[in-house]
Amino acid sequence: MSRGMARAQLLILEPPPKVGAKPGAVLERVRFQFNPNRLSLTKSTEWRRKPSRMAAESATPEFVGSGPRSLSLEVFLDATDTHDGSVERKVEQLMVACVPTEKSLRAKKPASPWVRFEWGSGRTTSFDGVLSSFSVEYTLFDTDGSPLRATCAVGIEEATADALGQNPTSGTPEASRTHVVVAGDTLAQLAWQEYGDPAAWRTIAEANDIDDPLELLPGSELLVPTTADPATRVPTEVAV
């Protein structure tokens, strides 16, 4: 039995009611008429250098943090077969993500919706975010001037809610950074890289509520405390 083709869609979600919370209910489910033929994903990191006038080479960079993912895609709309105004209706659905929701206005905390692009089993391009840019180019019109064909350019910037204590400036005693898991990563290996002690892997496990340290999903992000908690280290055996 052949599997049907997965159809891309954009979920428009009620924004979180407060900092650190997850987005709320689905406001719109915009199913794409045609799947995108190209997706552009970017992610940045921030580094800091302290230049010295006496140094012959540049200073060693200090890692500051991991920036958000950004996704760019185009949505193609066509109503040349139907002449039913569906192009503008789809555009209006997408533009809902550009204005504050009624619920946020009633709460006197205006906020535009969050969005999430979904397409089959894709993981790296599916994340909670906000619409950072949106534009429409109409390229064909009916005899009454209504658009029959359009291309929408959509930009999404990641806006994943941080768990309490993950922000180094939130007043917590210890700062943290994030690490994107790649194939072959282990907590012991990461603990060795961060702390010089593979036995400190429990510090990372507890910070991320990991029950099984052997099951790390490539592409997921781990919170890595900048210092290891001695209480979480596995004691090493000493020969006597």
Side-chain angles (χ1 to χ4, degrees):
M1 180 181 296
S2 60
R3 299 176 60 184
M5 179 183 295
R7 183 65 63 190
Q9 63 179 350
L10 188 71
L11 302 185
I12 300 178
L13 312 165
E14 188 71 48
K18 59 182 180 179
V19 176
K22 293 183 178 181
V26 176
L27 301 176
E28 293 277 359
R29 188 182 299 270
V30 185
R31 292 182 173 87
F32 290 12
Q33 186 179 4
F34 304 95
N35 285 335
N37 57 15
R38 177 167 45 198
L39 299 174
S40 177
L41 181 69
T42 61
K43 185 173 176 65
S44 62
T45 55
E46 185 176 344
W47 298 82
R48 180 170 53 213
R49 296 176 187 266
K50 295 181 180 179
S52 173
R53 291 186 298 174
M54 303 299 293
E57 299 178 353
S58 62
T60 301
E62 177 187 356
F63 181 77
V64 176
S66 176
R69 282 177 284 185
S70 296
L71 178 66
S72 300
L73 63 139
E74 290 187 342
V75 183
F76 181 67
L77 305 172
D78 186 275
T80 54
D81 290 339
T82 57
H83 293 253
D84 59 357
S86 59
V87 166
E88 285 194 298
R89 285 199 297 272
K90 284 290 186 182
V91 170
E92 290 170 348
Q93 274 188 299
L94 291 168
M95 287 196 299
V96 166
C98 300
V99 296
T101 66
E102 293 182 3
K103 185 176 181 180
S104 69
L105 290 173
R106 289 196 299 269
K108 300 187 184 301
K109 295 181 179 180
S112 62
W114 282 27
V115 298
R116 183 168 64 246
F117 173 75
E118 293 184 348
W119 189 4
S121 59
R123 294 193 306 271
T124 56
T125 56
S126 182
F127 52 85
D128 292 333
V130 293
L131 209 63
S132 58
S133 63
F134 177 75
S135 64
V136 185
E137 182 179 8
Y138 296 110
T139 56
L140 186 65
F141 302 88
D142 209 339
T143 54
D144 63 355
S146 59
L148 291 176
R149 188 173 292 163
T151 301
C152 304
V154 177
I156 301 172
E157 184 171 297
E158 188 176 21
T160 304
D162 290 331
L164 295 178
Q166 289 191 15
N167 187 346
T169 62
S170 63
T172 55
E174 294 193 8
S176 303
R177 73 173 189 86
T178 57
H179 171 79
V180 179
V181 176
V182 298
D185 273 354
T186 65
L187 291 186
Q189 178 188 37
L190 188 55
W192 170 259
Q193 295 172 350
E194 295 295 323
Y195 317 126
D197 181 5
W201 63 268
R202 291 184 183 275
T203 293
I204 305 173
E206 291 190 358
N208 295 275
D209 295 326
I210 295 177
D211 296 324
D212 188 346
L214 300 179
E215 293 187 2
L216 299 181
L217 181 65
S220 61
E221 288 190 357
L222 296 179
L223 177 68
V224 182
T226 54
T227 57
D229 182 0
T232 64
R233 302 189 183 188
V234 178
T236 55
E237 296 183 357
V238 180
V240 294

